[in-house]
């Protein structure tokens, strides 16, 4: 592969890492109406019956310079990955805040930055609120695996209040591998554990840290826990055992960044 081919490959790889496909007529309309969101491609089912919202979607796509493709139901369901709820519509968005973790680490870590990572957060409302908190905070980015967490669908978009389209999201396939790469790049990997001896306030904001939040009921997975350098907790009063994972994320994003 020569330099030109290599450059094209990297550009293509980065382009596809920034694509997010959403489905459903109303969610697609809301996303395509946001001028801050780059619309790449609109997918429509050939079997769709004529409807005003479909005409409006097509008009929006043309005005935004997006390609419009028509598919049979099976082909569209492969794109939306949700045949029961796609309503014959899907759209590919290009989100500049999305990046693959390898591309992100290739340019080196910033100094004393805070990252949050989610490990098996399956509740869409929780994930959406975490995205919103990280987007609003000084935290550098949210590390979000493609597998094992809630899908980035209309429920997550709604819970994030649309901030998903503006948030800095670092994507990976395997979270443990991603965390190990951050560790090797010099970041401390910190797990949240209600049984930890150290508290969040014991940490100094003098190094790069990735705070890993586990599943709503089971906590951190074994693979991710093994990568962690240390564990911390948020101290509780009045016999409260733990906080909602989205609330915990909000505290960390603003206190530790």
């Amino acid at each position: 592969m020569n330099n030109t081919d290599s450059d094209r490959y990297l550009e293509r790889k980065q382009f596809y890492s920034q694509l997010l496909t959403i489905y459903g007529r109303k969610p697609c309309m809301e996303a395509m109406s946001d001028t801050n969101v780059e619309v790449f491609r609109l997918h429509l089912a050939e079997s769709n019956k004529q409807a005003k919202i479909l005409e409006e979607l097509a008009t929006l796509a043309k005005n935004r310079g997006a390609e419009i493709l028509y598919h049979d139901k099976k082909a569209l369901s492969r794109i939306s990955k949700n045949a029961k709820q796609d309503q014959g519509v899907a759209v590919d968005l290009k989100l500049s805040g999305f990046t693959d973790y390898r591309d992100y680490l290739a340019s080196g870590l910033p100094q004393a930055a805070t990252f949050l990572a989610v490990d098996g957060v399956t509740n869409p409302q929780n994930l959406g609120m975490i995205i919103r908190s990280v987007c609003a905070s000084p935290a550098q980015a949210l590390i979000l695996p493609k597998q094992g967490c809630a899908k980035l669908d209309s429920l997550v978009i709604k819970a994030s209040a649309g901030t998903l389209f503006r948030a800095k999201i670092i994507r990976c396939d395997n979270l443990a591998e991603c965390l190990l790469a951050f560790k090797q790049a010099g970041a401390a990997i910190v797990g949240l554990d209600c049984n930890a001896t150290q508290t969040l306030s014991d940490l100094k904001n003098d190094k790069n840290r990735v705070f890993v939040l586990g599943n709503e009921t089971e906590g951190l997975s074994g693979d991710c826990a093994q990568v962690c350098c240390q564990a911390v907790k948020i101290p509780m009063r009045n016999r409260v055992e733990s906080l909602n994972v989205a609330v915990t994320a909000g505290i960390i994003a603003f206190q530790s960044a």
Side-chain angles (χ1 to χ4, degrees):
M1 185 181 293
N2 59 40
N3 289 339
T4 301
D5 290 339
S6 177
D7 290 342
R8 287 175 179 170
Y9 168 76
L10 292 174
E11 288 176 3
R12 186 176 179 85
K13 178 173 171 288
Q14 182 179 18
F15 174 81
Y16 281 103
S17 71
Q18 293 180 328
L19 284 185
L20 173 67
T21 301
I22 64 173
Y23 57 83
R25 298 183 181 188
K26 186 175 180 181
C28 289
M29 174 63 74
E30 291 175 350
M32 293 176 64
S33 299
D34 187 339
T35 56
N36 295 312
V37 178
E38 184 175 346
V39 182
F40 173 59
R41 185 177 287 157
L42 174 65
H43 303 275
L44 296 170
E46 295 170 335
S47 58
N48 284 336
K49 294 181 180 179
Q50 191 171 14
K52 182 178 179 181
I53 191 170
L54 296 177
E55 295 174 2
E56 292 173 347
L57 284 169
T59 299
L60 271 174
K62 291 176 183 176
N63 292 341
R64 301 292 302 275
E67 184 179 11
I68 303 175
L69 297 179
Y70 293 87
H71 310 270
D72 60 41
K73 283 187 176 182
K74 287 185 178 180
L76 184 65
S77 68
R78 288 194 293 268
I79 294 168
S80 70
K81 296 181 174 59
N82 196 328
K84 293 182 179 180
Q85 297 181 15
D86 64 29
Q87 298 175 306
V89 176
V91 63
D92 298 324
L93 307 174
K94 185 174 181 292
L95 304 179
S96 59
F98 279 42
T99 185
D100 181 84
Y101 79 96
R102 288 158 293 199
D103 295 332
Y104 184 86
L105 290 175
S107 58
L109 289 173
Q111 292 185 346
T114 292
F115 301 84
L116 277 75
V118 287
D119 176 23
V121 175
T122 57
N123 183 289
Q125 285 76 20
N126 282 340
L127 182 56
M129 288 188 288
I130 291 171
I131 292 170
R132 184 177 185 182
S133 292
V134 174
C135 184
S137 78
Q140 189 72 16
L142 175 67
I143 300 174
L144 177 61
K146 296 177 183 178
Q147 304 295 329
C149 288
K151 294 181 180 179
L152 297 180
D153 59 13
S154 59
L155 294 176
V156 173
I157 295 169
K158 183 177 180 179
S160 78
T163 58
L164 172 64
F165 303 137
R166 304 190 297 275
K168 291 184 178 180
I169 306 287
I170 298 173
R171 303 307 307 271
C172 61
D173 292 317
N174 184 288
L175 181 58
E177 290 180 2
C178 175
L179 294 176
L180 183 59
F182 268 80
K183 189 175 184 178
Q184 292 170 341
I189 313 300
V190 183
L192 270 292
D193 185 349
C194 62
N195 297 314
T197 56
Q198 282 189 307
T199 67
L200 186 62
S201 58
D202 291 331
L203 303 180
K204 295 180 180 179
N205 299 332
D206 59 351
K207 62 174 66 176
N208 290 310
R209 284 194 177 88
V210 180
F211 289 90
V212 190
L213 293 88
N215 177 271
E216 292 91 337
T217 56
E218 299 177 1
L220 293 179
S221 64
D223 289 344
C224 289
Q226 288 181 357
V227 182
C228 292
C229 307
Q230 62 189 122
V232 298
K233 65 181 179 181
I234 296 174
M236 303 288 166
R237 296 184 178 183
N238 300 318
R239 297 195 298 273
V240 176
E241 294 183 358
S242 64
L243 296 173
N244 172 277
V245 65
V247 174
T248 300
I251 292 172
I252 294 169
F254 282 92
Q255 181 170 327
S256 302

